[in-house]
Amino acid sequence: MIEAVADRAATDGIATMAETPQHGTEMVQALEAGAHGGGEHVFPPFDTTHFASQVLWLAISFGLLYYLLSKVALPRIGGILEDRHDRIAWDLSEAERLKQESDDAVAAYEAALAEARDKAHTIARETHDKLSAEMAAKRASVEGELATKLGEAEERIASIKSQAMSEVGAIANETAAAIVTQLAGTEVSSDEISGAVSAAQSR
């Protein structure tokens, strides 16, 4: 139906152009202009007739954007950056404090270790000296006891030796008296036998 109406309009236009040649020429030019894109059109942003309104809306948009950024976005970003800066500073201070505490603990441990070593050396030296003194005292005591016992033993041995020698002399006297009596058939006095035994022992 639309095609029929268009054909009819085109037929009427041709008939009208035939009746009025000037009007027909204008219609042909208008159709040709429409066939070529409706004439020369400018892109709206580049149209100089709209520059004033475009600049106005640009200023309004920029102002609104600046207001939103300055009142909403930038304070939040600044707060986040400040919080991060404070957290980093606190972490660094805490790390420095912990490092100082660890250094102090290591220094205290080394000092305590050195003191313990000195005490251990002192105790070992004192113990060695004490044991040496005790051993020397015990050795002197033992040597004294041994010397005393040795002297007593020597005295006892000398006493036993002298007693034995006296008994040997008595036994020798008795034996010599018995032998002489048996051999000579006579008894000899004890003084003579003692003298003879003594002379024999002295030889």
Side-chain angles (χ1 to χ4, degrees):
M1 182 177 180
I2 295 173
E3 294 177 354
V5 172
D7 292 338
R8 185 174 180 179
T11 303
D12 293 340
I14 293 171
T16 303
M17 284 189 297
E19 293 176 358
T20 57
Q22 184 177 0
H23 184 68
T25 304
E26 292 177 355
M27 285 293 293
V28 171
Q29 291 178 355
L31 290 174
E32 288 179 355
H36 289 289
E40 185 178 356
H41 293 286
V42 180
F43 188 59
F46 299 147
D47 191 358
T48 56
T49 59
H50 299 93
F51 272 1
S53 61
Q54 291 177 1
V55 170
L56 177 62
W57 282 110
L58 177 63
I60 294 172
S61 301
F62 182 78
L64 289 175
L65 180 61
Y66 179 78
Y67 178 78
L68 291 175
L69 288 176
S70 62
K71 298 297 182 180
V72 179
L74 292 179
R76 291 184 180 180
I77 295 173
I80 293 172
L81 293 177
E82 186 175 358
D83 291 340
R84 287 188 177 181
H85 181 270
D86 294 339
R87 183 178 295 276
I88 291 171
W90 185 84
D91 291 339
L92 290 176
S93 63
E94 188 69 14
E96 185 66 23
R97 184 182 65 81
L98 293 175
K99 181 178 180 298
Q100 185 64 34
E101 289 181 357
S102 64
D103 292 339
D104 295 339
V106 170
Y109 170 75
E110 291 179 352
L113 184 61
E115 184 178 358
R117 286 178 179 173
D118 293 337
K119 287 184 178 180
H121 288 308
T122 303
I123 292 171
R125 184 172 59 254
E126 291 177 354
T127 304
H128 180 268
D129 296 339
K130 183 179 180 181
L131 292 177
S132 298
E134 291 178 356
M135 290 297 296
K138 288 183 179 180
R139 184 175 62 185
S141 176
V142 171
E143 288 178 353
E145 291 178 358
L146 289 176
T148 302
K149 290 182 179 180
L150 183 60
E152 293 176 354
E154 288 179 352
E155 291 179 358
R156 188 178 298 174
I157 291 171
S159 176
I160 294 172
K161 183 179 180 182
S162 62
Q163 184 178 359
M165 291 301 295
S166 63
E167 291 179 356
V168 167
I171 294 171
N173 289 336
E174 293 177 357
T175 304
I179 292 172
V180 171
T181 301
Q182 291 291 330
L183 292 177
T186 60
E187 291 183 0
V188 182
S189 65
S190 59
D191 293 335
E192 291 178 351
I193 292 173
S194 297
V197 169
S198 298
Q201 286 180 350
S202 65
R203 289 198 296 261

